[in-house]
Amino acid sequence: MGRTFRIYLAGEAVLSCKQCGNHLAVTEGIMSRQFTGQHGRALLVQQVVNTYTGDAEDREMRTGRHTVRDVYCRVCHSTLGWKYDFAFEHDQKYKEGKYILEREMIAEKPESKRDTGRPRIEELPVRELLARV
């Protein structure tokens, strides 16, 4: 099987899996904090890393019908939220390709200043990560 390749992020604050601490996104990539998930409050984010998605399925939500995929942590396999693949309502199209991370499943940690000047393994600048979108 081998080792799993993981990306470590750098930014003002990092969103990570509450179960295992796996880096998921940076706070600069948050598009909205005004969403609601299955477990309460949720974030709409532009891009996530160190995750995988399940099969696409149609779900009826508060804002209409959407085709979504559940998003899982690559390390501990916890369900973190979902990814919008397709929005049937025209005014919801902005969500397509974006991710919902549920606040109950993630932790927001401020990036600590390190004493060493060496970068972390596979550290990505925020601009480079957001440019991939």
Side-chain angles (χ1 to χ4, degrees):
M1 178 96 151
R3 284 190 143 170
T4 304
F5 176 76
R6 291 173 49 193
I7 296 173
Y8 294 85
L9 301 170
E12 270 184 38
V14 175
L15 302 174
S16 59
C17 175
K18 196 176 259 188
Q19 296 293 321
C20 66
N22 183 30
H23 286 197
L24 303 170
V26 290
T27 55
E28 291 88 346
I30 297 173
M31 297 178 67
S32 175
R33 294 177 182 269
Q34 303 301 316
F35 278 75
T36 303
Q38 295 172 342
H39 300 99
R41 303 302 301 160
L43 306 172
L44 180 69
V45 296
Q46 217 169 6
Q47 183 69 28
V48 297
V49 296
N50 301 324
T51 61
Y52 64 95
T53 58
D55 295 331
E57 60 183 66
D58 288 347
R59 290 188 194 157
E60 193 65 41
M61 299 184 173
R62 287 183 180 179
T63 56
R65 198 163 131 218
H66 301 277
T67 302
V68 298
R69 296 172 184 269
D70 285 333
V71 175
Y72 303 97
C73 176
R74 187 171 296 281
V75 176
C76 68
H77 311 289
S78 298
T79 304
L80 302 168
W82 62 86
K83 177 184 180 184
Y84 288 103
D85 280 346
F86 182 76
F88 290 90
E89 304 291 329
H90 180 70
D91 64 336
Q92 300 297 310
K93 293 286 187 186
Y94 73 95
K95 295 178 184 175
E96 290 180 357
K98 307 299 187 286
Y99 297 83
I100 290 289
L101 295 178
E102 299 202 45
R103 300 284 302 176
E104 187 70 27
M105 312 309 272
I106 62 171
E108 188 173 331
K109 299 177 186 171
E111 183 65 19
S112 61
K113 300 291 182 190
R114 295 180 309 227
D115 296 346
T116 63
R118 298 188 331 238
R120 292 183 185 168
I121 299 171
E122 298 301 326
E123 188 172 88
L124 291 177
V126 173
R127 280 186 232 124
E128 182 182 329
L129 177 66
L130 295 178
R132 292 181 180 182
V133 175

